[in-house]
């Protein structure tokens, strides 16, 4: 004896057959045109994903910059390294780099 499977009210099709087309349009995205709201939602989601990717890349760069700053500070605190730089002709440092290493521009 087979048991009847209950049908939810939103899946019920009217007996007159007029609801058939609307049911098909509601259930199958290929048969309906994209609404302005759906297009706006898709654009929003794509932009959100783009910004999240950009944010992750920015965080990665920020982390790498912090590591490089620490390494450079440590190297510049070594008198032998500074003497080597001077012997090689590196006697000046760009102002932005100097300010960043001194903590004036974080």
């Amino acid at each position: 004896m087979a048991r009847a499977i209950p049908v939810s009210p939103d899946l019920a099709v009217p007996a007159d057959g007029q609801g058939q087309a609307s049911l098909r349009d509601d259930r199958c995205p290929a048969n309906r045109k994209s609404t302005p709201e759906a297009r706006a939602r898709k654009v929003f989601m794509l932009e959100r994903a783009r910004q999240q990717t950009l944010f992750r890349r920015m965080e990665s760069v920020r982390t790498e910059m912090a590591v490089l700053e620490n390494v450079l500070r440590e190297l510049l605190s070594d008198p032998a390294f500074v003497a080597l730089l001077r012997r090689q002709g590196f006697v000046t440092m760009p102002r932005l780099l100097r300010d960043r290493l001194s903590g004036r521009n974080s």
Side-chain angles (χ1 to χ4, degrees):
M1 187 180 217
R3 293 179 59 181
I5 299 173
V7 176
S8 75
D10 60 337
L11 294 177
V13 178
D16 60 2
Q18 292 177 358
Q20 194 83 10
S22 67
L23 181 65
R24 189 178 319 118
D25 289 342
D26 291 339
R27 300 293 180 236
C28 184
N31 290 338
R32 65 181 160 161
K33 293 183 180 178
S34 161
T35 64
E37 293 84 9
R39 284 179 286 192
R41 182 176 296 117
K42 183 175 181 177
V43 168
F44 174 77
M45 296 301 282
L46 289 172
E47 181 63 17
R48 180 176 178 225
R50 187 188 70 80
Q51 288 183 6
Q52 286 176 334
T53 301
L54 183 62
F55 182 76
R56 280 192 297 272
R57 289 175 60 193
M58 287 172 42
E59 286 298 315
S60 174
V61 168
R62 184 177 295 140
T63 302
E64 291 174 13
M65 286 293 296
V67 169
L68 288 173
E69 285 178 36
N70 290 334
V71 168
L72 196 51
R73 275 192 199 106
E74 189 173 328
L75 286 171
L76 291 175
S77 68
D78 182 7
F81 181 74
V82 174
L84 174 67
L85 286 176
R86 287 193 177 131
R87 279 194 309 270
Q88 295 297 320
F90 295 100
V91 293
T92 62
M93 181 183 300
R95 185 179 331 154
L96 290 173
L97 180 58
R98 184 184 67 230
D99 289 347
R100 189 168 184 119
L101 292 174
S102 67
R104 289 187 229 155
N105 186 18
S106 300

